[in-house]
Amino acid sequence: MADEATRAAFMEIQASMIELTGKLKQVQNQMRNKEGDRKRAFLTLEELRPLPEETNTYKSIGKFVLEPKTVLEGEQEQKLKDSEAAVASLQTSKEYLEKQVAEVENNLRELLQQEPGIAQQIMSMSM
């Protein structure tokens, strides 16, 4: 009976680890995408700022549309702010998920220390 309970606990911990690892990878990918958006907006602003106000600027929306420089600067500044806020939020989520992963790893370690026989069973199942 205890063996069944230990095996069930292991399966639950394993499922939690798989789920948390997947979520962590997803958050890391989202962070990478938002960092790219932030960098692109920053570089675009760096190129727009030195231009004179009367310069013809174009916005790409499938085709190119003439837009005043101030409008494009405002859009890029907003994209920059939005990306920075998203990255900060995702960083918080990432830290939370990393703590959860560490907690699940500790639970697994404790389970294996309490029931050394389960480690052998796990190894025989994976072969």
Side-chain angles (χ1 to χ4, degrees), residues 1 12 26 35 56 84 90 107 124:
M1 189 67 157
E12 184 180 324
Q26 183 181 17
E35 276 295 326
N56 287 337
E84 288 173 345
L90 289 168
N107 291 343
S124 67

Side-chain angles (χ1 to χ4, degrees), residues 2 4 11 13-14 20 31 36 39 42 45-46 51 58 61 80 82 88-89 93 104 106-107 116 119 124-126:
E4 289 292 322
M11 298 300 266
I13 290 172
Q14 184 181 28
L20 290 171
M31 283 181 69
K39 189 169 188 171
F42 175 78
L45 276 171
E46 289 297 306
L51 297 176
Y58 294 87
I61 55 169
L80 184 64
D82 291 347
S89 173
S93 296
V104 169
N106 285 336
N107 291 343
S124 67
M125 286 173 30
S126 63

Side-chain angles (χ1 to χ4, degrees), residues 83 121 125:
S83 295
Q121 290 177 3
M125 286 173 30

Side-chain angles (χ1 to χ4, degrees), residues 22-37:
K23 286 180 181 179
L24 185 60
K25 286 181 182 179
Q26 183 181 17
V27 166
Q28 289 170 334
N29 285 335
Q30 290 174 344
M31 283 181 69
R32 201 171 12 262
N33 290 339
K34 289 298 178 182
E35 276 295 326
D37 292 347

Side-chain angles (χ1 to χ4, degrees), residues 12-81:
E12 184 180 324
I13 290 172
Q14 184 181 28
S16 295
M17 182 63 91
I18 291 169
E19 179 185 351
L20 290 171
T21 303
K23 286 180 181 179
L24 185 60
K25 286 181 182 179
Q26 183 181 17
V27 166
Q28 289 170 334
N29 285 335
Q30 290 174 344
M31 283 181 69
R32 201 171 12 262
N33 290 339
K34 289 298 178 182
E35 276 295 326
D37 292 347
R38 186 198 65 77
K39 189 169 188 171
R40 198 168 14 269
F42 175 78
L43 292 173
T44 302
L45 276 171
E46 289 297 306
E47 292 296 320
L48 281 174
R49 286 187 176 132
L51 297 176
E53 288 299 318
E54 62 278 352
T55 302
N56 287 337
T57 55
Y58 294 87
K59 177 180 177 179
S60 176
I61 55 169
K63 52 185 169 181
F64 293 99
V65 177
L66 182 63
E67 289 279 349
K69 177 186 167 209
T70 54
V71 170
L72 288 179
E73 280 181 327
E75 288 176 359
Q76 293 303 315
E77 287 171 356
Q78 188 61 45
K79 283 182 186 178
L80 184 64
K81 288 177 188 174

